[in-house]
């Protein structure tokens, strides 16, 4: 796995047919990001008449990983007494990128996460008990189960989990990509959806394409993509085309239903997560055989 640290970027190593989505940008892009600061916000809501009140989106509930970003999440049916979950990318898994077709479930883990408050200050270290689910097939997600419940985290630190939307996102939606690693928030809109997004040996289905203002960089992998009108997480940030190459590592390409390929240099992407709540039942337990669950199985 490629770390988004400048030293690691300078000695980039890809194992096998590995890839380096948003978890590993070039040192030049990382430096440019620090120089330019936060991307210009686009907060135009979906309106019919008066604009809806936008939710205040900040860093509360996001986490920093050793090489990526993430967030403490809950599903619409989650209970306060359930073990909390952390969402990040499949390619952020600490044991390395899952191979095409590989699905990891119930894998022991003691990975730590830095919990951030609204201003981006680290207020606690959370720890995983296991990898509940991870894959880079069809989507790019890892979900960790933590050793603490939602209620315990809120009682100790006053921070609530972000809720995952269980409906398909909508083109034109104003969004914010919140990176706990860089403590930076990108603002843009959902530009559209990609039938198939291909990068190296991996292919993802129905991916989210951002408008150009979300110029995400290495270390933003796993950031929650938040709908500014609802405050819910609608996707997880994962990659972008850096060099204009076609379907290569760090240069995903769009493939339509007819097989036509489009390359959009400088454009970044996320993976939808609205399908995930159907795969978790009471107690936040994973059930890949549940009705409506379409996540790939081992």
């Amino acid at each position: 796995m490629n770390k988004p640290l400048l030293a690691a970027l300078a000695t980039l190593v890809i194992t096998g047919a590995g890839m380096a989505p948003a978890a590993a940008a070039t040192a030049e892009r990382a430096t440019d990001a620090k120089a330019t600061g936060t991307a210009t916000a686009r907060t135009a809501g979906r309106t019919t008449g008066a604009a809806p009140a936008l939710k205040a989106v900040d860093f509360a509930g996001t986490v920093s990983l050793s090489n990526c970003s993430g967030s403490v999440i809950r599903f619409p049916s989650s209970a306060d007494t359930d073990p909390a979950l952390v969402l990040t990318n499949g390619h952020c898994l600490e044991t390395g990128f899952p191979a095409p077709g590989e699905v990891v479930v119930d894998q022991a883990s003691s990975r730590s996460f830095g919990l951030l408050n609204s201003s981006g200050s680290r207020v606690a270290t959370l720890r995983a008990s296991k990898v509940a689910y991870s894959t880079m097939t069809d989507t790019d997600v890892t979900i960790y189960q933590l050793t603490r419940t939602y209620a315990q985290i809120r009682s100790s630190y006053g921070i609530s989990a972000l809720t995952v939307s269980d409906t398909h996102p909508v083109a034109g939606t104003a969004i914010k990509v919140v990176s706990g690693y860089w403590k930076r928030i990108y603002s843009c809109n959902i530009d559209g959806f990609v039938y198939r997004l291909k990068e190296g040996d991996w292919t993802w289905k129905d991916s989210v394409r951002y408008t150009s203002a979300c110029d995400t960089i290495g270390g933003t992998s796993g950031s929650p993509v938040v709908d500014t009108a609802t405050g819910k997480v609608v996707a997880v940030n994962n990659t972008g085309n850096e060099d204009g190459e076609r379907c290569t590592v760090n240069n995903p390409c769009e493939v339509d239903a007819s097989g036509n390929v489009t390359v959009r240099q400088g454009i970044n992407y996320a993976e939808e997560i609205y399908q995930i709540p159907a795969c978790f039942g009471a107690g936040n337990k994973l059930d890949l055989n549940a009705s409506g669950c379409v996540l790939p199985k081992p």
Side-chain angles (χ1 to χ4, degrees):
M1 172 172 284
N2 303 304
K3 305 290 191 293
L5 304 175
L6 298 185
L9 292 170
T11 58
L12 180 64
V13 176
I14 299 176
T15 302
M19 56 158 237
T26 63
E28 179 181 357
R29 291 185 69 193
T31 303
D32 288 345
K34 290 184 178 181
T36 56
T38 303
T40 302
R42 290 187 182 182
T43 56
R46 291 162 288 165
T47 61
T48 52
L54 300 182
K55 299 290 183 180
V57 177
D58 52 35
F59 295 101
T62 63
V63 298
S64 59
L65 285 66
S66 58
N67 58 346
C68 289
S69 300
S71 57
V72 180
I73 58 157
R74 64 185 300 155
F75 305 123
S77 62
S78 295
D80 286 348
T81 53
D82 289 344
L85 304 173
V86 161
L87 171 70
T88 187
N89 282 148
H91 72 262
C92 295
L93 187 65
E94 72 267 33
T95 52
F97 300 164
E102 182 182 3
V103 175
V104 176
V105 296
D106 293 330
Q107 176 178 284
S109 175
S110 59
R111 192 170 194 180
S112 62
F113 311 91
L115 178 66
L116 307 184
N117 63 13
S118 59
S119 64
S121 296
R122 180 170 178 154
V123 296
T125 298
L126 303 177
R127 194 165 295 278
S129 61
K130 67 178 181 180
V131 176
Y133 184 88
S134 182
T135 192
M136 288 175 65
T137 299
D138 294 351
T139 186
D140 185 10
V141 298
T142 295
I143 299 174
Y144 289 93
Q145 180 174 299
L146 302 183
T147 58
R148 293 189 175 190
T149 66
Y150 298 115
Q152 289 171 332
I153 293 172
R154 188 171 60 247
S155 175
S156 296
Y157 311 111
I159 295 174
S160 297
L162 304 179
T163 298
V164 170
S165 173
D166 58 3
T167 59
H168 193 287
V170 177
T173 297
I175 55 172
K176 291 184 181 291
V177 182
V178 188
S179 172
Y181 184 91
W182 289 115
K183 298 175 180 59
R184 177 179 174 187
I185 299 176
Y186 300 81
S187 302
C188 63
N189 293 76
I190 294 177
D191 185 52
F193 304 98
V194 182
Y195 177 73
R196 296 291 185 267
L197 188 67
K198 181 173 176 57
E199 181 170 345
D201 290 342
W202 287 265
T203 300
W204 304 305
K205 296 180 178 179
D206 197 21
S207 301
V208 173
R209 180 177 61 242
Y210 305 143
T211 53
S212 60
C214 281
D215 53 345
T216 51
I217 60 171
T220 64
S221 284
S223 297
V225 179
V226 181
D227 182 332
T228 59
T230 66
K232 293 182 178 181
V233 183
V234 296
V236 57
N237 180 68
N238 78 313
T239 193
N241 187 294
E242 296 182 10
D243 306 311
E245 295 180 4
R246 177 185 170 109
C247 313
T248 63
V249 171
N250 291 323
N251 295 283
C253 62
E254 301 182 11
V255 184
D256 68 17
S258 299
N260 300 308
V261 175
T262 301
V263 173
R264 302 178 191 269
Q265 184 176 5
I267 294 299
N268 297 285
Y269 302 89
E271 300 308 313
E272 296 171 356
I273 56 173
Y274 74 95
Q275 321 95 318
I276 295 178
C279 302
F280 283 79
N284 271 352
K285 292 182 179 179
L286 178 69
D287 182 2
L288 294 177
N289 295 313
S291 175
C293 178
V294 297
L295 288 178
K297 299 177 182 180

